[in-house]
DNA sequence: TTGTATGCGTTATCAC
DNA sequence: GTGATAACGCATACAA
């Protein structure tokens, strides 16, 4: 009793063969309409669920996936998504997944185009891409769409091209959260800084979203009179050194209570604060990269917001596998949680085996 | 090229049959030692990984699992683990998992014994249990151990009986984390309260661990001179009402900056603080139950520490499935992350579909 | 001690 | 249009 329903069970009940049931279930045609209806009805009644194990077993095709991601050599952050991709590949390789990585320089749009062209010139069964260059990405999306190649976006969302899935960050909300953390830590009147470090802000919409979320926190709570937010753009390529730029900032604003760094470069600010012995200034940033962790452990960084970058790569590949191998439908958007990381809960997130 | 290695491949290379390879790989004996060595060596060289799909497919037994958990009707918290168990059951039922729930009253040890006896009287293939009653649990553990029935513990860890797996909370560390959160929020000198609400503290070792972690935070940071910690035990069954008990506390300690509630009853404290308009007192508690969420959204609770209670049930069943069905080894301890939840990142955790 | 044959549920091919 | 059957990789009962 309570046995799992198989195609064979449906076939027996409908007085047809398993081949017919299969044709009905997969809409392969060549089946009489009345039989079709009957089979469909019985499958429904018996609550038939295909056995994905058997399905994956029989379907021993090799699926070639392209992963188009920034090169960790240029920005350490991308080590994590890469690791997630590789973990998923390892788990799924016995079911036929083969991932080829195409790494581009995240600071060089041409490099992206070059790698994307490589991907486009071969025929892949699926593509995972971190489309950090908005303009340059679009033509590839429409091409893949036309060719019917499923592609999954992560890290940066670009709607309108209906990717199979988007996985990643809610930038605005993370800025909002950062504001809450700094606000909670500084009950007295003062200023907060939103710092973009070593970034081309104009071309990075997610940084603007983060800043907007940060500012909006104080607006929606009607705290603007109590807390002042200052935006700053720090570049080592500028005329002044970073230290000089920050000296200027802190000199002009002696009431700074906290700093929000919108990318993974919080350690730069932490170095500065340590150097100037500004111990009372709180600091919130992003990403569990090594340079940041050192400061987290010494409390020079109070919180890091983490968006499970390893998980982004992992779930991206898994999403493609669900589609290609297991024929399972997935939610087209998967926002990963905004994890708040501090020294005391850090280790659960870096050991992260999932 | 790059093909997946099968038993058949090993057999060919070793000039034996698949049956022999199988006997070697499963240590079923009845195989010549030299052959054994040869097969083992080849399997190693070829980096053989069994295909768990095929394995699960062929092994179509029904596995009966007992889930021995507190009844959500008595404490809403247990709704989440229950949901996780049911989610895992749904996913795994086509591979033969059948879960029977045995719910006991978490405030009544006799009720636990009654349900545990029911479980023991039947023969299950595996057991998932939340052993909230320490003393009463032990005899069952040794019994199951003797019978060779794998059991997984969650929520409360009881070592020494070698469960297949423990999943859940690191109580001490969560207390430590709570201290950090309150400390970060209150830079000025003052007192913090550790409140046990409606609990039999003496019989709940995890509450003591939480308190210890909280206190130790200030000790290890050498902050004892600046921050004073006060322990309180609040019960509605006491002579005084809860409000009276808390009034007494706050009257005696006007410098209280924050309160740490060691269980899911933070909402009780939040109600009191709201009633007495003690808006400057920070509050950290546990668990995303509805009563707490209302206060989180109005900032009367600042942070809730969450240990993915749904995930605890889910991973518990999955651990048993990995052992019974997929014959996969798992880490015997799986601490779930200490998630820091605040109003601004809450929704990622309650939508949690995994 | 070893080899062979069968079946798990699904899919795909082929003959009717 | 339809049904029979082989194959996927593994486990196991049984034969040798």
């Amino acid at each position: 009793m309570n046995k799992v329903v198989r195609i064979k069970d449906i076939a027996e009940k409908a007085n047809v063969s398993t081949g017919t049931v299969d044709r009905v279930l997969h809409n392969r045609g060549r089946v009489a309409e009345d039989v079709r209806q009957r089979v469909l009805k019985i499958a429904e009644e018996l609550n038939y669920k295909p056995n994905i194990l058997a399905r994956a077993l029989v379907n021993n095709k090799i699926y070639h996936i392209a992963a188009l991601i920034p090169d960790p050599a240029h920005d350490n952050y991308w080590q994590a998504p890469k690791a997630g991709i590789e973990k998923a590949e390892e788990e799924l390789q016995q079911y036929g997944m083969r991932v080829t990585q195409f790494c581009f320089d995240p600071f060089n749009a041409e490099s992206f185009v070059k790698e994307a062209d490589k991907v486009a010139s071969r025929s892949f069964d699926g593509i995972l891409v971190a489309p950090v260059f908005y303009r340059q990405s679009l033509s590839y999306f429409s091409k893949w769409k036309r060719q019917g190649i499923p592609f999954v976006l992560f890290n940066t969302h670009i709607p309108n091209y209906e990717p199979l899935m988007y996985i990643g960050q809610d930038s605005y909300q993370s800025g909002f959260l950062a504001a809450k953390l700094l606000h909670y830590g500084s009950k007295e009147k003062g200023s907060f800084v939103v710092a973009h470090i070593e970034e081309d802000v104009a071309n990075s919409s997610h940084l603007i979203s983060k800043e907007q979320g940060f500012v909006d926190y104080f607006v929606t709570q009607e705290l603007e009179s109590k807390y002042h937010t200052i935006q700053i753009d720090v570049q080592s390529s500028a005329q002044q050194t970073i230290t000089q730029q920050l000296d200027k900032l802190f000199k002009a604003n002696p009431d700074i209570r906290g700093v929000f760094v919108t990318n993974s470069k919080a350690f730069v600010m932490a170095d500065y604060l340590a150097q100037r012995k500004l111990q009372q200034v709180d600091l919130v940033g992003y990403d569990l990269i090594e340079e940041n962790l050192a400061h987290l452990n010494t409390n020079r960084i109070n919180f890091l917001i983490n968006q499970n970058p390893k998980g982004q790569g992992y779930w991206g590949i898994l999403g493609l596998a669900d589609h290609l191998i297991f024929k399972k439908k997935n939610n087209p958007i998967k926002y990963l949680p905004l994890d708040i990381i501090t020294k005391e809960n850090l280790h659960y997130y870096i050991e992260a085996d999932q």
Side-chain angles (χ1 to χ4, degrees), chain A residues 309-331:
Chain A
K310 187 174 172 185
Q312 290 185 33
Y314 180 81
W315 292 109
I317 297 295
L318 243 70
L320 283 165
D322 278 342
H323 178 73
L324 293 169
I325 304 180
F326 304 112
K327 267 85 176 156
K328 220 170 68 176
K329 273 208 187 80
N330 265 325
N331 204 320

Tab-separated table of all heavy atoms in Angstrom, chain A residues 309-331:
chain	number	residue	atom	x	y	z
A	309	PRO	N	28.473	34.309	-1.871
A	309	PRO	CA	28.953	34.314	-3.256
A	309	PRO	C	29.266	32.910	-3.766
A	309	PRO	O	29.041	32.617	-4.934
A	309	PRO	CB	30.207	35.181	-3.200
A	309	PRO	CG	30.618	35.203	-1.769
A	309	PRO	CD	29.364	35.061	-0.974
A	310	LYS	N	29.721	32.062	-2.865
A	310	LYS	CA	29.955	30.682	-3.282
A	310	LYS	C	28.639	30.030	-3.685
A	310	LYS	O	28.551	29.342	-4.699
A	310	LYS	CB	30.615	29.896	-2.143
A	310	LYS	CG	31.039	28.502	-2.530
A	310	LYS	CD	31.814	27.809	-1.408
A	310	LYS	CE	32.050	26.340	-1.749
A	310	LYS	NZ	32.695	25.617	-0.639
A	311	GLY	N	27.617	30.318	-2.864
A	311	GLY	CA	26.300	29.778	-3.173
A	311	GLY	C	25.756	30.276	-4.496
A	311	GLY	O	25.047	29.562	-5.188
A	312	GLN	N	26.101	31.506	-4.859
A	312	GLN	CA	25.611	32.039	-6.135
A	312	GLN	C	26.113	31.199	-7.299
A	312	GLN	O	25.361	30.864	-8.216
A	312	GLN	CB	26.044	33.496	-6.308
A	312	GLN	CG	25.328	34.436	-5.358
A	312	GLN	CD	25.674	35.892	-5.631
A	312	GLN	OE1	25.909	36.288	-6.761
A	312	GLN	NE2	25.702	36.688	-4.583
A	313	GLY	N	27.388	30.866	-7.272
A	313	GLY	CA	27.924	30.017	-8.326
A	313	GLY	C	27.318	28.623	-8.272
A	313	GLY	O	26.921	28.054	-9.287
A	314	TYR	N	27.211	28.133	-7.040
A	314	TYR	CA	26.695	26.781	-6.852
A	314	TYR	C	25.257	26.651	-7.354
A	314	TYR	O	24.931	25.769	-8.146
A	314	TYR	CB	26.786	26.436	-5.369
A	314	TYR	CG	26.288	25.064	-5.011
A	314	TYR	CD1	27.088	23.956	-5.199
A	314	TYR	CD2	25.017	24.878	-4.477
A	314	TYR	CE1	26.644	22.688	-4.876
A	314	TYR	CE2	24.562	23.620	-4.145
A	314	TYR	CZ	25.371	22.534	-4.341
A	314	TYR	OH	24.921	21.284	-4.020
A	315	TRP	N	24.419	27.553	-6.914
A	315	TRP	CA	23.008	27.463	-7.289
A	315	TRP	C	22.780	27.772	-8.762
A	315	TRP	O	21.818	27.310	-9.371
A	315	TRP	CB	22.161	28.379	-6.408
A	315	TRP	CG	22.103	27.904	-4.990
A	315	TRP	CD1	22.700	28.490	-3.910
A	315	TRP	CD2	21.458	26.730	-4.494
A	315	TRP	NE1	22.464	27.737	-2.783
A	315	TRP	CE2	21.701	26.668	-3.110
A	315	TRP	CE3	20.690	25.723	-5.094
A	315	TRP	CZ2	21.215	25.640	-2.301
A	315	TRP	CZ3	20.199	24.697	-4.283
A	315	TRP	CH2	20.463	24.667	-2.908
A	316	GLY	N	23.681	28.555	-9.320
A	316	GLY	CA	23.593	28.829	-10.745
A	316	GLY	C	23.742	27.554	-11.564
A	316	GLY	O	22.919	27.256	-12.437
A	317	ILE	N	24.783	26.806	-11.259
A	317	ILE	CA	24.992	25.550	-11.974
A	317	ILE	C	23.859	24.573	-11.663
A	317	ILE	O	23.338	23.899	-12.551
A	317	ILE	CB	26.351	24.930	-11.572
A	317	ILE	CG1	27.501	25.854	-11.986
A	317	ILE	CG2	26.518	23.560	-12.205
A	317	ILE	CD1	27.656	26.034	-13.476
A	318	LEU	N	23.445	24.553	-10.394
A	318	LEU	CA	22.351	23.649	-10.043
A	318	LEU	C	21.056	23.996	-10.771
A	318	LEU	O	20.291	23.109	-11.142
A	318	LEU	CB	22.120	23.655	-8.529
A	318	LEU	CG	22.387	22.297	-7.899
A	318	LEU	CD1	23.876	21.992	-7.918
A	318	LEU	CD2	21.823	22.189	-6.516
A	319	GLY	N	20.832	25.280	-10.967
A	319	GLY	CA	19.646	25.698	-11.703
A	319	GLY	C	19.674	25.174	-13.132
A	319	GLY	O	18.665	24.709	-13.657
A	320	LEU	N	20.834	25.242	-13.738
A	320	LEU	CA	20.964	24.725	-15.103
A	320	LEU	C	20.774	23.213	-15.125
A	320	LEU	O	20.138	22.668	-16.030
A	320	LEU	CB	22.337	25.104	-15.673
A	320	LEU	CG	22.467	26.562	-16.119
A	320	LEU	CD1	23.920	26.957	-16.313
A	320	LEU	CD2	21.677	26.793	-17.405
A	321	ALA	N	21.308	22.538	-14.118
A	321	ALA	CA	21.154	21.087	-14.049
A	321	ALA	C	19.685	20.709	-13.855
A	321	ALA	O	19.189	19.770	-14.483
A	321	ALA	CB	21.991	20.516	-12.908
A	322	ASP	N	19.005	21.450	-12.988
A	322	ASP	CA	17.584	21.165	-12.768
A	322	ASP	C	16.817	21.261	-14.080
A	322	ASP	O	15.928	20.469	-14.359
A	322	ASP	CB	16.998	22.153	-11.750
A	322	ASP	CG	17.294	21.724	-10.322
A	322	ASP	OD1	17.624	20.549	-10.115
A	322	ASP	OD2	17.203	22.573	-9.421
A	323	HIS	N	17.187	22.252	-14.860
A	323	HIS	CA	16.503	22.460	-16.132
A	323	HIS	C	16.884	21.391	-17.152
A	323	HIS	O	16.025	20.756	-17.764
A	323	HIS	CB	16.860	23.852	-16.663
A	323	HIS	CG	16.247	24.170	-17.983
A	323	HIS	ND1	14.909	24.454	-18.135
A	323	HIS	CD2	16.781	24.240	-19.226
A	323	HIS	CE1	14.652	24.694	-19.410
A	323	HIS	NE2	15.774	24.565	-20.098
A	324	LEU	N	18.173	21.175	-17.328
A	324	LEU	CA	18.648	20.312	-18.403
A	324	LEU	C	18.514	18.830	-18.062
A	324	LEU	O	18.037	18.037	-18.871
A	324	LEU	CB	20.118	20.626	-18.709
A	324	LEU	CG	20.404	22.004	-19.309
A	324	LEU	CD1	21.899	22.284	-19.300
A	324	LEU	CD2	19.857	22.077	-20.729
A	325	ILE	N	18.938	18.465	-16.873
A	325	ILE	CA	19.013	17.041	-16.539
A	325	ILE	C	17.728	16.548	-15.886
A	325	ILE	O	17.156	15.558	-16.292
A	325	ILE	CB	20.196	16.761	-15.585
A	325	ILE	CG1	21.493	17.272	-16.211
A	325	ILE	CG2	20.289	15.273	-15.284
A	325	ILE	CD1	22.709	17.049	-15.362
A	326	PHE	N	17.303	17.290	-14.862
A	326	PHE	CA	16.200	16.775	-14.069
A	326	PHE	C	14.849	17.297	-14.538
A	326	PHE	O	13.814	16.918	-14.013
A	326	PHE	CB	16.414	17.106	-12.593
A	326	PHE	CG	17.723	16.588	-12.071
A	326	PHE	CD1	18.736	17.459	-11.701
A	326	PHE	CD2	17.951	15.223	-11.976
A	326	PHE	CE1	19.945	16.980	-11.234
A	326	PHE	CE2	19.166	14.738	-11.508
A	326	PHE	CZ	20.157	15.613	-11.146
A	327	LYS	N	14.889	18.180	-15.525
A	327	LYS	CA	13.646	18.714	-16.092
A	327	LYS	C	12.714	19.252	-15.006
A	327	LYS	O	11.498	19.046	-15.046
A	327	LYS	CB	12.915	17.626	-16.900
A	327	LYS	CG	13.245	17.616	-18.374
A	327	LYS	CD	14.489	16.843	-18.691
A	327	LYS	CE	14.731	16.775	-20.205
A	327	LYS	NZ	16.152	16.555	-20.523
A	328	LYS	N	13.333	19.888	-14.034
A	328	LYS	CA	12.562	20.396	-12.901
A	328	LYS	C	12.429	21.901	-13.064
A	328	LYS	O	13.386	22.574	-13.444
A	328	LYS	CB	13.315	20.077	-11.598
A	328	LYS	CG	12.434	19.646	-10.465
A	328	LYS	CD	13.244	19.110	-9.301
A	328	LYS	CE	14.072	20.183	-8.594
A	328	LYS	NZ	14.764	19.653	-7.406
A	329	LYS	N	11.273	22.429	-12.754
A	329	LYS	CA	11.089	23.887	-12.846
A	329	LYS	C	11.626	24.557	-11.599
A	329	LYS	O	11.502	24.060	-10.494
A	329	LYS	CB	9.608	24.217	-13.029
A	329	LYS	CG	9.154	24.215	-14.469
A	329	LYS	CD	7.961	25.155	-14.677
A	329	LYS	CE	7.413	25.015	-16.081
A	329	LYS	NZ	6.536	23.841	-16.240
A	330	ASN	N	12.203	25.710	-11.782
A	330	ASN	CA	12.715	26.483	-10.656
A	330	ASN	C	12.141	27.885	-10.663
A	330	ASN	O	11.736	28.393	-11.691
A	330	ASN	CB	14.241	26.577	-10.736
A	330	ASN	CG	14.906	25.512	-9.917
A	330	ASN	OD1	14.405	25.146	-8.858
A	330	ASN	ND2	16.015	25.001	-10.400
A	331	ASN	N	12.156	28.489	-9.496
A	331	ASN	CA	11.789	29.887	-9.395
A	331	ASN	C	12.782	30.722	-10.204
A	331	ASN	O	13.988	30.553	-10.062
A	331	ASN	CB	11.849	30.295	-7.921
A	331	ASN	CG	10.967	31.481	-7.650
A	331	ASN	OD1	10.907	32.407	-8.454
A	331	ASN	ND2	10.266	31.448	-6.539
